[in-house]
Amino acid sequence: MTIIGLDKLNRKLKTIPREAETAAKDAVVKGANEIAALQRSLVPVVDGDLQDSIHVTNPGESTPPYSQPGGQRTAKDLEAIVTAGNSKVRYAHLVEFGTAQHVNAGIFAGTKNPGTTARPFFWAGFRALRKRVKSRITRSINKAVREAAQKGGTNP
């Protein structure tokens, strides 16, 4: 028994994953850049080092040393990582979450440090755009699947 059009259908189905993966990767990188831009606009600026340390690591690249959250690692194929901090800026988490009052040690032993208030910029920026970025990724994948299916799958 021969099914008419089976070859054409199989060609279509083979191209869909590649098309969807490409669309997803582009949407993930675009979303990460959008989140990083918002985070840069939210970060308190004294000398600009912390603002400049906010970095987007594209798929297959490594994050900067000493970056937050998570330190240095390599992004997976469909992953873009937004980090703050580097070998020069190691205090991103202190700005994000603030510090508690404490008694100093070392050169200024015995003096009281009043602590700092939290100035959220990293997770606040992420949370503000998370839903929007997820929606963009889903729409991009769906669009790529539709277009690949309509194209006829000429690429095996």
Side-chain angles (χ1 to χ4, degrees):
M1 175 182 210
T2 306
I3 300 174
I4 299 170
L6 183 61
D7 291 337
K8 185 177 178 183
L9 177 63
N10 283 333
R11 281 194 309 272
K12 281 184 182 184
L13 292 175
K14 284 181 183 177
T15 62
I16 289 173
R18 186 174 44 226
E19 301 286 338
E21 184 177 327
T22 302
K25 191 180 287 188
D26 293 345
V28 164
V29 170
K30 184 176 181 177
N33 283 312
E34 188 176 350
I35 290 170
L38 178 60
Q39 290 171 336
R40 286 185 196 105
S41 72
L42 294 174
V43 71
V45 179
V46 175
D47 57 10
D49 288 342
L50 180 57
Q51 186 178 40
D52 293 340
S53 77
I54 297 173
H55 177 74
V56 175
T57 304
N58 293 322
E61 297 177 357
S62 293
T63 59
Y66 306 104
S67 59
Q68 297 289 327
Q72 192 170 14
R73 70 184 190 89
T74 303
K76 297 176 185 167
D77 285 342
L78 293 174
E79 178 181 45
I81 305 169
V82 180
T83 57
N86 52 35
S87 56
K88 182 180 176 184
V89 178
R90 299 188 188 186
Y91 52 84
H93 62 290
L94 300 176
V95 175
E96 177 79 9
F97 301 111
T99 59
Q101 294 180 3
H102 60 278
V103 177
N104 292 320
I107 297 173
F108 305 106
T111 60
K112 292 183 180 180
N113 184 313
T116 59
T117 54
R119 301 283 305 268
F121 67 95
F122 189 85
W123 292 110
F126 170 75
R127 288 184 193 108
L129 294 178
R130 172 178 42 193
K131 193 173 185 181
R132 178 179 177 171
V133 169
K134 279 180 158 180
S135 295
R136 176 184 296 127
I137 294 166
T138 302
R139 283 191 315 273
S140 296
I141 292 170
N142 290 338
K143 181 180 178 186
V145 168
R146 273 193 312 275
E147 288 175 357
Q150 289 174 355
K151 213 176 5 176
T154 56
N155 299 333

